Amino acid sequence: MDFPRLEGNGTYSNGLKKYTFRSANAWMDREIFNTLLDKEQMGWDWFAIQLDNGMDIMAFQVRSETQPYLSATIVARDGSATALTNHDFQLIPLANWTSPISGISYPIQWRLLIPNQNIDLKINARFKQQELKNSIPVPFFYWEGQSSVSGTHTGNAYMELVGY
């Protein structure tokens, strides 16, 4: 379940300083499939993309050595949605970053190609160190964070990289 263009406000404190946001653009996503991963599936790469022209794209792949699964949805400015299959687009990793904390290498720069929509995007992490550590049900590291979009369109993105 996705709500790609929510407006909000609030505060954030890092323990030293408090920040107030009077206006923020947010994307709410509810993850519902991770308990369905089977033993062959190694993790996923997920992208929430908000383009400056008002279009939104959600794209992901569940990585597997034998049967990877890809899916994407394009939401036009008018709210109409177009579902894409694995034959309609490509996600191509371009550059990696290795965490000095976990030693894990994450692909933090990607190319998203959607030829029949004339979309060729480069998704690049805004900064490298956005690695997180989960502790439930077992400890593991993953990368999740802000990214920028360039190419045939510009905008902002949020990238989640799990299972590296």
Side-chain angles (χ1 to χ4, degrees), residues 47-50 123-124 126 145-149 155-159:
F47 305 86
I49 303 166
Q50 295 178 322
I123 304 161
N124 191 44
R126 288 203 187 275
Q146 295 180 10
S147 303
S148 61
V149 178
N156 298 298
Y158 198 78
M159 184 175 5

Side-chain angles (χ1 to χ4, degrees), residues 19-39:
Y19 301 89
T20 300
F21 299 92
R22 295 188 188 352
S23 176
N25 186 0
W27 181 308
M28 193 215 69
D29 169 64
R30 174 71 176 121
E31 182 179 310
I32 58 172
F33 73 91
N34 71 353
T35 58
L36 302 177
L37 295 179
D38 65 32
K39 293 177 185 176

Side-chain angles (χ1 to χ4, degrees), residues 79-153:
S80 61
T82 303
L84 305 178
T85 69
N86 61 334
H87 303 292
D88 298 322
F89 72 100
Q90 288 181 285
L91 282 168
I92 304 160
L94 299 176
N96 284 16
W97 167 78
T98 300
S99 166
I101 297 169
S102 68
I104 297 171
S105 181
Y106 299 97
I108 60 166
Q109 186 180 85
W110 292 77
R111 185 173 183 195
L112 172 60
L113 289 169
I114 309 173
N116 66 355
Q117 299 282 332
N118 296 316
I119 296 173
D120 185 352
L121 305 177
K122 184 176 174 184
I123 304 161
N124 191 44
R126 288 203 187 275
F127 54 96
K128 296 173 182 177
Q129 179 53 278
Q130 297 185 74
E131 182 182 52
L132 301 167
K133 183 178 182 182
N134 189 31
S135 58
I136 300 173
V138 294
F140 70 93
F141 287 92
Y142 65 103
W143 192 101
E144 181 175 310
Q146 295 180 10
S147 303
S148 61
V149 178
S150 60
T152 56
H153 300 72

